[in-house]
């Protein structure tokens, strides 16, 4: 699965 | 959330508060580039499209609303407020900011992680944020006397970007699969644009002089 973790940044 | 990320968000928040303080209490936007503020409003409007679709945390939603609200109200103040708008130096703020938008759209269409509307808009906002400070930096070069609040505003923005880089380095080593080239490269470009300003800012601070950029 693709990591979406930057989307939690502003 | 790590300490660098939190400190980065807080300096970003403080930068906006400093600018609003200047505009709201002193009723002046002297030395502030409307072009840069309009670009920031566009950056947040295109980046935070997920505000109603993806819930991340209360913190995240609140911060997004603050950045959206503050960026649009700053633009409103400079354009519409009957006292503030008089202090806007239109003749000096001549950067053709519209010409930054088209290359960012093209770049976002060509280089993105996923070809969907939301993803392309998000990528566009990253590219645009990287260069959005340029009109402000050009205006700063032209303004011989930079007041304290304007200097602090730009310093805080630069600090916010630098802290985000530390946050990415930290996350890279502590989280698995944390590789985001688009975010990192555009973020790095953005931070490098502040290098010159930082040099003169620290120089004036060290010598206890008023901040002045060379012509």
């Amino acid at each position: 699965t693709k990591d979406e973790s930057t989307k939690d940044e502003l | 959330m790590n300490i660098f990320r939190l400190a980065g968000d807080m300096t970003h928040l403080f930068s906006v508060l400093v600018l609003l303080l200047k505009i709201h209490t002193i009723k002046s936007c002297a030395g502030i580039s409307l072009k840069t503020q309009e670009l920031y409003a566009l950056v947040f409007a295109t980046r935070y499209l997920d505000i109603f679709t993806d819930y991340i945390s209360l913190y995240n939603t609140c911060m997004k609303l603050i950045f959206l609200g503050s960026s649009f109200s700053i633009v409103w103040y400079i354009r519409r407020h009957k006292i503030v708008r008089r202090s806007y130096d239109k003749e000096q703020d001549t950067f053709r900011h519209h010409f930054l938008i088209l290359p960012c759209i093209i770049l976002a269409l060509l280089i993105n992680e996923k070809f969907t509307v939301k993803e392309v808009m998000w990528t566009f906002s990253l590219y645009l944020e990287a260069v959005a400070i340029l009109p402000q930096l050009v205006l700063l070069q032209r303004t011989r006397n930079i007041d304290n609040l304007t200097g602090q505003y730009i310093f805080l923005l630069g600090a916010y970007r630098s802290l985000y880089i530390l946050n990415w380095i930290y996350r890279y080593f502590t989280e698995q699969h944390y590789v985001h080239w688009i975010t990192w490269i555009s973020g790095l470009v953005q931070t490098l644009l502040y290098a010159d300003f930082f040099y003169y800012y620290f120089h004036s601070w060290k010598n206890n002089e008023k901040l002045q950029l060379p012509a």
Side-chain angles (χ1 to χ4, degrees):
Chain A
T1 53
K2 187 175 156 284
D3 182 22
E4 296 275 355
S5 51
T6 37
K7 298 289 192 293
D8 65 16
E9 290 174 355
L10 298 157
Chain B
M1 186 158 57
N2 62 68
I3 186 74
F4 304 112
R5 160 74 198 284
L6 182 65
D9 284 350
M10 289 306 116
T11 42
H12 192 190
L13 185 64
F14 282 136
S15 75
V16 174
L17 292 179
V18 164
L19 186 53
L20 275 172
L21 179 85
K22 177 183 157 91
I23 292 176
H24 188 78
T25 56
I26 309 172
K27 295 279 183 285
S28 163
C29 64
I32 298 299
S33 167
L34 173 63
K35 309 288 177 81
T36 285
Q37 297 307 320
E38 286 180 342
L39 292 178
Y40 279 142
L42 185 58
V43 163
F44 295 133
T46 50
R47 183 173 306 168
Y48 298 156
L49 287 174
D50 62 355
I51 197 163
F52 301 111
T53 56
D54 303 297
Y55 179 77
I56 295 156
S57 64
L58 183 63
Y59 170 82
N60 201 279
T61 305
C62 288
M63 292 294 269
K64 283 175 176 170
L65 287 172
I66 290 171
F67 289 131
L68 277 169
S70 57
S71 61
F72 279 93
S73 53
I74 288 165
V75 170
W76 178 85
Y77 260 118
I78 302 176
R79 279 182 167 276
R80 299 271 178 260
H81 191 280
K82 63 184 191 300
I83 301 167
V84 175
R85 62 191 281 191
R86 273 187 238 144
S87 59
Y88 173 54
D89 204 347
K90 203 178 174 179
E91 269 68 55
Q92 301 272 22
D93 191 20
T94 54
F95 195 98
R96 308 256 183 125
H97 68 322
H98 293 118
F99 288 112
L100 291 175
I101 298 172
L102 191 63
C104 290
I105 293 175
I106 295 169
L107 204 60
L109 287 168
L110 294 174
I111 305 170
N112 52 63
E113 285 184 14
K114 209 165 39 175
F115 198 72
T116 61
V117 174
K118 211 165 89 175
E119 192 70 20
V120 170
M121 295 283 257
W122 179 78
T123 314
F124 164 76
S125 82
L126 287 179
Y127 296 150
L128 191 64
E129 191 190 358
V131 291
I133 195 67
L134 284 174
Q136 179 63 67
L137 292 176
V138 169
L139 177 62
L140 218 57
Q141 288 277 339
R142 291 183 181 160
T143 317
R144 294 305 295 152
N145 288 311
I146 302 157
D147 64 89
N148 282 335
L149 286 177
T150 306
Q152 274 152 18
Y153 166 66
I154 295 154
F155 170 77
L156 286 167
L157 273 180
Y160 142 63
R161 293 316 310 180
S162 313
L163 286 161
Y164 253 69
I165 288 182
L166 295 178
N167 156 57
W168 294 329
I169 294 170
Y170 181 87
R171 292 186 77 169
Y172 177 77
F173 287 109
T174 53
E175 287 173 37
Q176 279 193 318
H177 314 298
Y178 188 72
V179 178
H180 295 284
W181 289 111
I182 293 175
T183 318
W184 292 348
I185 292 171
S186 48
L188 190 64
V189 168
Q190 187 179 358
T191 314
L192 288 174
L193 293 179
Y194 289 92
D196 198 50
F197 172 82
F198 271 138
Y199 174 80
Y200 292 106
Y201 187 87
F202 284 118
H203 188 79
S204 71
W205 178 69
K206 199 178 75 191
N207 300 332
N208 214 0
E209 289 166 350
K210 202 168 161 47
L211 176 62
Q212 270 196 338
L213 301 186

